[in-house]
Amino acid sequence: MKSKSIAMKRLIFNVIAIFIIYILPGLNHVACQFMDDFKDGDIQTDPMWLGNTEHFIINNQYKLQLDAPEGGNSVLYTQFNAPDSIEWGFYFKMDFSPSATNKLRVYLLSDNNDITKANAYFIEIGENGSQDNIKFYKSTNGVNSLLGTGSPGIFATEPASGYLR
């Protein structure tokens, strides 16, 4: 079991799993709801996920799981119309201790699927050392500004997991 964990760490070394929620400009006042619990076992339809879909699977527990063939960036996103107010909730689990080069980044809202140019809000977990916490950022034209942080060290050990709501 230990060798499987080490192999998984090597596989996802330098991977930033990015889950981008992309909204179309000007449509942010349409009342709607978006939810995907992955119970259909499919990321190709209802809703259709885009990006590096071949890097992700729905596992036996109907959870989205990174399954990239090698280290690097893996991106997955879908489009939806955001209402005036919104609530986010999702579970995540990283079977490794996060670092600055091996982290999770979740974009909650973005006006562009090119994150280097986006106006967006995202959370990030992973930094060097033992102070790993959750950080909340605003991105303006791809320039990131830290808005808030969680408790230091809360995600410093493996597995790093939690439910964000």
Side-chain angles (χ1 to χ4, degrees), residues 37-43 56-67 91 93 95:
D37 60 10
F38 302 106
K39 295 264 189 252
D40 62 1
D42 184 18
I43 60 174
F56 295 87
I57 62 169
I58 307 302
N59 66 24
N60 293 338
Q61 291 81 38
Y62 298 106
K63 293 180 181 169
L64 180 67
Q65 180 178 325
L66 178 65
D67 190 34
Y91 171 79
K93 180 179 178 183
D95 282 333

Side-chain angles (χ1 to χ4, degrees), residues 82-120:
D84 287 338
S85 63
I86 194 165
E87 180 179 309
W88 294 98
F90 60 90
Y91 171 79
F92 65 90
K93 180 179 178 183
M94 299 179 287
D95 282 333
F96 55 90
S97 180
S99 70
T101 57
N102 198 11
K103 59 187 165 186
L104 172 69
R105 184 178 279 183
V106 178
Y107 281 79
L108 304 172
L109 293 172
S110 176
D111 67 355
N112 192 325
N113 61 351
D114 180 351
I115 59 172
T116 64
K117 301 174 185 174
N119 295 304

Side-chain angles (χ1 to χ4, degrees), residues 21-153:
I21 304 300
Y22 175 78
I23 62 168
L24 298 175
L27 295 178
N28 59 351
H29 295 290
V30 178
C32 68
Q33 182 174 349
F34 171 80
M35 182 183 140
D36 193 351
D37 60 10
F38 302 106
K39 295 264 189 252
D40 62 1
D42 184 18
I43 60 174
Q44 301 299 321
T45 58
D46 196 27
M48 179 191 298
W49 291 90
L50 305 166
N52 305 112
T53 57
E54 69 279 5
H55 291 189
F56 295 87
I57 62 169
I58 307 302
N59 66 24
N60 293 338
Q61 291 81 38
Y62 298 106
K63 293 180 181 169
L64 180 67
Q65 180 178 325
L66 178 65
D67 190 34
E70 59 188 33
N73 294 336
S74 294
V75 177
L76 190 66
Y77 65 94
T78 193
Q79 297 179 358
F80 78 103
N81 299 325
D84 287 338
S85 63
I86 194 165
E87 180 179 309
W88 294 98
F90 60 90
Y91 171 79
F92 65 90
K93 180 179 178 183
M94 299 179 287
D95 282 333
F96 55 90
S97 180
S99 70
T101 57
N102 198 11
K103 59 187 165 186
L104 172 69
R105 184 178 279 183
V106 178
Y107 281 79
L108 304 172
L109 293 172
S110 176
D111 67 355
N112 192 325
N113 61 351
D114 180 351
I115 59 172
T116 64
K117 301 174 185 174
N119 295 304
Y121 290 93
F122 66 92
I123 62 122
E124 182 175 274
I125 299 171
E127 61 186 79
N128 290 332
S130 61
Q131 296 301 304
D132 294 291
N133 59 16
I134 190 166
K135 294 181 178 176
F136 182 54
Y137 288 91
K138 177 181 181 180
S139 183
T140 306
N141 297 317
V143 177
N144 301 334
S145 302
L146 182 64
L147 298 177
T149 63
S151 300

